[in-house]
Every structure is written in C-alpha cells, then in structure tokens.
Amino acid sequence: MFSPSSRASDNDAHPVPDRHGQNLFTTDVELQRMLALYLPADLLRHMQPYFERLGALAGGPLDELAHAADRNPPTLTLRTRTGVDTQKIEKHPAYIEMERLAYSDFGLAAMSHRDETLGWQGRMPPLVKYVLTYLFVQAEFGLCCPVSMTDSLARTLKKFGSPELVERFLPRFQSLDFDTLAQGAMFMTEQAAGSDIAATQTRAAQDDSGAWRIHGDKWFCSNPDADFAMVLAHVDGAPAGMKGVSLFLLPKRLEDGSANNYRIIRLKDKLGTRSMASGEIRLEGAIAYLVGEQGRGFVQMADMVNNSRLSNGVRAAGLMRRAVAEAEYVASQRRAFGRRLEEMPLMQRQLLKLRLPSEQARSMVFQTAQALARSDAGDAAAYPLLRILTPLIKFRACRDARKVTGDAMEVRGGCGYIEEWADPRLLRDAHLGSIWEGTSNIVALDVIRAVKRENSLPALQAHFGALADEASLVPAFAQALREALARAGALATSAAQEGGEPLARQAASALYHCCSAIAMAWEGAAAGSSQRVDWAQLVLLHRVLPRDPLAPGGVPPTWRKQHGQAAARES
C-alpha cells in the first residue's frame, strides 16, 4: 500500500520537489496549535482521527480525484437516444467519488443539522465543519460549492420554512445515505438581476389548485441538477421592487416521481471550478413551495447567502494554505546556486508575504466560526458580531487568495504553470471567490450596512478589544493594536455616513487587518507561539500602518524606535 512518509522521502531526493502524498493535517503545525485553543479537549480528541484521515486523503487520493474531475468536466445530455426529453448531467466518476466522501463519509453538508455525526453525540460546533472543509478544499474547491449550498439551504429551510415543509423535506438534508440524501442549490442570478434582487423578473403565481408555479430564466445556477433549490421570484400582483420578491423551494422531482417543469438550457464553460456543473435554468411553470412570508424573499435569501459567504471565506483560507504549503515545500527542497531556495533572502521575504494573508484568513475563520456558534446558541450579542465578520472575511480573504495563489505558483517556477500540478487549478478557482455570493464592491458595502443597521461596529470593537486585553503582549504593541482598531472603526463610521460610500472598501480592509492582527496576537500569546505574535506585528506594520516608500523596506523610523528590530522585520 502507498506510504505517504516513504513517498515524501522519495520526493525529497528528486531535483523537482513533489509534495504529493503528505498528510495536509499532520504537517500543519499551526492548525493543530489553533485547534487546541478553540475546540474542547474531548471533541478534539474525538475528531483527531477524522482530521488525520481527511488530511491524508487531501494530500494524495482526493487530490488525484480532483485533478481527474478538473480535466473531465460535466456534460449535459438533453435527450435519450430514442428521443425522450430527459435531461441529465453526466459527472465524471472521480467527481462522484468526491461527492461520496464529502456528503456521506464526512457529512459536511448534514453535520450542522444532525444530532450525531462521525460518532459524536450532539450537534457539532460550526468550527468542526469548517476545519474539515478547510482540509477538503485544499484538494477540491468546486464540489465545496454544492456542499455549502446544501448546508445553507437546510439552514434557511429550518429557519423560515413552515413546520410542514421542514418535516417533509429536512430529513433528506440530514441523511448521510449517499443514495437517498438531497443536494441543494440556489437559483437567484438573472441576466438583469445579479446582486440587484429588486430587478428579479422571474414570476410566481398560484394556479387553481393553490400550488405555486414559477416562470422565468435564471442565468447562473451552480449544481443545476440538485434535488432542491431555493429560488427568488416576484409574485404576481405584489408590489414592485424588493417587497414583491418571495423565496420558494423548488424540487427537482414531483411527488409522483416525474420531473418538475424546468430545463437546464446549457452548462457554463468556466475559468475555474471546472469539476462542478453551473448552468442556465428555464422555469416553465415549475411547482415550488413558498418559504416563509410573501415579500420577505430578500431577507430570507440573504440568510442563506451569508452562510455561503462564510463558507467562501473558509475556502479562500484553504486555497491559500495549500498554495503556501506547496511554495514552502518547494523552497525547502529545491536547490539552486548551491543553496536551498529557502536560504535565499528574497525567497524568505516572498514566502513571508504569502504566509501572512494565509494566516490572517485562518484566524478570521476561527473567530467567525465561534461567533456563529454563539449566535446559533441564542447569544443576542453575538449576532451583530457575526453579521460584520461574515462579509469581512468574504471581502478580504477571497481577494487575498487571488494574489497568494498566483505568487505561490511562481515559487515552483515553470512547473507551476503546468496543468499536471495543482498550482493552475488553485489560481483559477481562487478568482471565483470574490465574484459569487456578491462581488467585492457589494460585500464591502454589506460591511458598511452592518455598521449602519445592525450596530455591528461596537460589537466588533468590544470583542477584539477584549482579546487584546486578554493577550499577554508588550504594552507598546498592545497599545498599537488598540489604536489601530479605533482608527479603523472611525474610518468605518465615516464610510457609513452620507457620501461615505467610496470609503467602503478601504474601511472593510482596515477592519479586517486590525481584527486579524489582534486575533493572531491573542492566539500567539495563548498558545505560547512567538511566531504567531510576530506575524501579528507584521500584519499591523505592513497592512495597516503608514509606510515610507523611500525607506529601506518601507519601515517607518518611529516603529523601529518604539518596537525594535524584531517587530520591524521585513514581510
């Protein structure tokens, strides 16, 4: 049987380093250190074998499946050979095997909706699901979209659906039986209505029997052959604009087993996420079920989208981790000019510039998952914190992933540009994160909306201020963190005022960088990791504080004087 340790040893001796076969969990020392901080000891002990198993899969077999599925994208068959209109999406066997691992073996989509998963009695905290996703996505990104949508659909159904609707359909989303469990999707985007929900043209009307029927076109639908989809439609006779839009649950098949009245027109030819089908849907009087109140579709769908946005941030963090780990491995093994690449000053600097945004995203994943757990447990004070953390991580981590995956590719050199390696797939997939579930502008504005409407800024400042107070840090550094957070808050307040919209992106980035620096400093102090505290200092120095472009390294002289050389180390 293939031995990861022996494979890695064989790779070490080859002039072209290949990390394939390493366990992506056991080789991630920072992840293990953080899990000890954030998870209860008994749960961590229970999950350790599952993390190790998925880490081994992601470093080898799952990565191979992902590569095969990426090279063999799904196809759409519209008719049988006898002329029957029976549309079907043909998926490569590698993709189906990955579905089995995600949905059934690890229960990623059902975990948050079950009272027992992976042998653990009781509801798993969100962080467990996100750590598993973090490992899974380092091998396969595309499938994590349907998994997230399935999880989010079930969450929205439970929250807003009638008791009858929940009782009827939720069990299929809780199932781990691969042959009977349901997959989910959201059909929201239209040609004239992307993020502008008020422009939705799809129509919903009740027929003589009282059943709701949907007519219209949806322009970008990932996982289009899902068993169920949440659909936005304007109800006939309802007010124009947002107040006329309602949310519906659309089944793929009706009670008698027949196909519902909608068609997949074509599949999209995408830059990335090639393994997973995305298509265009035409609804031709399809039967659907009203979810919640009429006219509340935007609010209800926003809940589903926000959950997916958090998953987007997790996936961006995972992509960055894989890219950085690959770059670090190459640099540690590849020799040039008589030295290992990692011994060269410019490479050391380049690796650090890759590592910082990767670690920022990881810390923000853990912090946001904690806020989600508290909010779901009924902690009213946690909701405004979650409400702003979610768009923050979606905005910044997804943008950082685009640069990190591109720059990490360069470390491998020419091989990094070859499709036999993971680098091109990571780069292509990373670009989608800042597009779907809201582009960067839309999500930055949502950060400001949370400030204006949800009173989220005081919650954010209180939470991260408390972390700064808890951490045992050098006083000058702790004070610099607090002052930076206060200034970022003032900028966000300005962005929330009339005429402040142009500041939204700058304010969102400022809040993200300050909060992630504080979180990393707290983690480093709590875990006894001076390295993590150093990273927090570098985030503050290079992502927040003003820099002198004419000074060596751009480091302000005042910072050197106040904080010393260790804190002013180059990034």
Side-chain angles (χ1 to χ4, degrees), residues 168-186:
R168 183 176 173 187
F169 294 116
L170 184 62
R172 289 195 61 191
F173 295 100
Q174 296 170 318
S175 174
L176 301 181
D177 183 344
F178 188 69
D179 295 324
T180 61
L181 61 81
Q183 293 191 30
M186 61 175 81

Side-chain angles (χ1 to χ4, degrees), residues 475-491:
F477 177 45
Q479 183 61 24
L481 289 171
R482 295 188 191 94
E483 289 176 356
L485 181 62
R487 286 168 41 225
L491 181 61

Side-chain angles (χ1 to χ4, degrees), residues 467-475 477-478 521-526 533:
L467 288 184
D469 291 340
E470 288 178 23
S472 178
L473 302 171
V474 173
F477 177 45
W522 174 83
E523 291 159 352
V533 175

